[in-house]
Amino acid sequence: MASTTINPAEYQSQLDEKAARIQNIFADFETPELEVFASPAEHYRMRAEFRVWHEGEDLYYIMFNQETREKYRVDQFPAASRLINDLMPLLVEALKPVKALRHKLFQVDFLSTLSGEILVSLLYHRQLDAEWEKEAKALKQRLNDEGFKLNFIGRARKQKIVLDQEFVIEKLQVNERVLTYKQVENSFTQPNGEVAQKMLEWAVDCTQDSQGDLLELYCGNGNFSLALAQNFERVLATELAKPSVDSAQYNIAVNNIDNVQIIRMSAEDFTDAMEGRREFRRLKDQNIDLQSYNCNTIFVDPPRSGMDEGTCRMVQGYDRIMYISCNPETLKDNLDILSETHRITRFALFDQFPYTHHMEAGVLLERK
């Protein structure tokens, strides 16, 4: 997507088109009125990645047209956060005269936050040495002296140098509460910070009258788990990726939440454990008794491929199902099964990815 295609004047019309499209996708289901959550019209992406182009003494960011694969120069990127845009020109100008930092640099990744922290990953087609580390430290100090809260990571083949941490600390406002999240480089985080806050508030609103415990599959860094904990006696959450589990444990502690338990386990393995088909040592090691939980509600936020049929059948066993989907087509496929036993009582569109065809959907289902 070219930066020149972002036209804030067209934002509302593209959002209206998405709302019509998602209602058409789910036309075969009885859905309540669609709740639409808009994004800022620009400066909404907390992450951005740019290739780096070397041209004589010049150095600049480039992106590629996805259809033609033609490259184009990018000096500013209106889709990215203001923090990324503020840093982009300063960083590239600082890299140009320093051979140790620019030599065989081919990509720059930015991870920013609403809280003002930013992490920059510099990717190289060469091994990094002590000279690189010395110059990177000096540049980090200079940029931070100019008011940034910045850390660097240098990456090369089988090499990673962290100056001084490989994560940012994000703070999200959820109604009257501020929640703190560790977000690690190369781990999944919601790309649109403002819309992420709206998603959390929607999920809290949907479950505010809950009783008993919550089961959550695919919990990531605990993004939803922490916000929803206030509405349940206990939360039992699963996640397979170790960096996300480690972040979730940090986030539970830093937010002083004492009723959330994270298990490192796939949704498929957890289904086997819940149904007694297999025993898992990690559950015993963490002293987790699945039978002690009184889960009437289950929350799922699966990958783009959606849930497999076995997981769908397991999810049907719960009175209420909250489902966040980054792929309405696989959500529709899953709803073919879930709607056998449940009806949709809340239906939402979250515009995480403005000016693209991607849509994030949320549904709350309750047993018929």
Side-chain angles (χ1 to χ4, degrees), residues 170-360:
E170 177 63 290
K171 294 184 182 294
L172 298 179
Q173 180 86 34
V174 184
N175 298 317
E176 290 78 40
R177 188 174 186 189
V178 176
L179 291 171
T180 299
Y181 293 93
K182 176 194 280 189
Q183 298 182 341
V184 179
E185 184 228 23
N186 278 354
S187 292
F188 175 77
T189 54
Q190 298 287 351
N192 189 321
E194 296 286 351
V195 174
Q197 292 180 146
K198 295 177 181 180
M199 292 172 69
L200 293 174
E201 291 180 346
W202 180 82
V204 169
D205 183 59
C206 285
T207 57
Q208 62 182 338
D209 59 344
S210 299
Q211 296 180 340
D213 304 323
L214 172 70
L215 173 63
E216 181 181 356
L217 307 183
Y218 321 94
C219 75
N221 69 352
N223 182 51
F224 283 97
S225 320
L226 304 188
L228 291 172
Q230 62 185 295
N231 287 346
F232 296 90
E233 293 179 21
R234 292 185 295 173
V235 177
L236 179 63
T238 71
E239 171 57 46
L240 187 58
K242 188 175 187 302
S244 293
V245 172
D246 292 342
S247 293
Q249 302 290 12
Y250 173 95
N251 296 336
I252 289 168
V254 77
N255 288 287
N256 298 309
I257 294 174
D258 60 7
N259 64 333
V260 176
Q261 176 80 55
I262 307 288
I263 310 170
R264 189 180 172 214
M265 182 177 277
S266 71
E268 292 77 14
D269 283 349
F270 186 79
T271 299
D272 286 347
M274 283 295 289
E275 297 182 355
R277 288 197 292 265
R278 294 170 60 195
E279 289 191 357
F280 292 86
R281 175 172 292 177
R282 73 197 73 168
L283 295 177
K284 292 182 179 179
D285 290 347
Q286 290 182 252
N287 200 27
I288 295 172
D289 177 11
L290 296 181
Q291 303 309 312
S292 73
Y293 281 84
N294 177 30
C295 296
N296 302 314
T297 305
I298 187 166
F299 181 96
V300 294
D301 185 3
R304 289 190 61 79
S305 56
M307 296 188 294
D308 65 275
E309 183 177 351
T311 302
C312 282
R313 297 295 177 192
M314 186 271 282
V315 165
Q316 281 181 305
Y318 295 82
D319 291 338
R320 295 196 302 173
I321 305 164
M322 184 178 291
Y323 192 138
I324 297 288
S325 170
C326 60
N327 185 347
E329 295 296 341
T330 54
L331 170 60
K332 181 184 177 183
D333 291 342
N334 286 167
L335 286 176
D336 285 337
I337 297 174
L338 300 179
S339 62
E340 295 169 2
T341 50
H342 291 68
R343 60 188 175 88
I344 302 171
T345 56
R346 298 281 293 267
F347 180 33
L349 167 65
F350 305 101
D351 197 18
Q352 278 268 9
F353 308 96
Y355 314 104
T356 75
H357 70 280
H358 294 294
M359 296 186 290
E360 193 100 0

Side-chain angles (χ1 to χ4, degrees), residues 17-29:
E17 186 276 329
K18 282 184 178 178
R21 185 152 47 94
I22 200 167
Q23 287 174 300
N24 185 57
I25 290 172
F26 294 97
D28 292 340
F29 299 92

Side-chain angles (χ1 to χ4, degrees), residues 78-184:
S81 68
R82 292 188 185 278
L83 186 53
I84 291 174
N85 280 279
D86 288 346
L87 182 58
M88 284 173 67
L90 297 176
L91 177 64
V92 80
E93 286 303 315
L95 293 171
K96 285 180 186 179
V98 185
K99 183 178 179 182
L101 296 179
R102 67 173 286 165
H103 182 50
K104 294 202 173 182
L105 173 70
F106 73 92
Q107 184 166 315
V108 179
D109 298 349
F110 297 91
L111 172 61
S112 66
T113 62
L114 297 174
S115 64
E117 293 191 12
I118 189 164
L119 180 63
V120 178
S121 299
L122 303 174
L123 284 63
Y124 292 86
H125 285 311
R126 67 175 178 90
Q127 291 299 290
L128 305 179
D129 54 19
E131 181 68 12
W132 179 90
E133 190 164 351
K134 184 187 88 169
E135 294 291 354
K137 284 180 178 177
L139 177 56
K140 174 179 182 292
Q141 184 64 53
R142 197 160 89 236
L143 290 169
N144 284 337
D145 287 345
E146 293 186 29
F148 291 95
K149 297 178 183 176
L150 175 146
N151 285 285
F152 274 130
I153 295 177
R155 284 187 173 275
R157 182 176 171 80
K158 296 184 179 179
Q159 188 180 25
K160 177 180 173 184
I161 300 175
V162 179
L163 308 173
D164 287 296
Q165 62 189 42
E166 60 179 336
F167 59 87
V168 291
I169 298 297
E170 177 63 290
K171 294 184 182 294
L172 298 179
Q173 180 86 34
V174 184
N175 298 317
E176 290 78 40
R177 188 174 186 189
V178 176
L179 291 171
T180 299
Y181 293 93
K182 176 194 280 189
Q183 298 182 341
V184 179

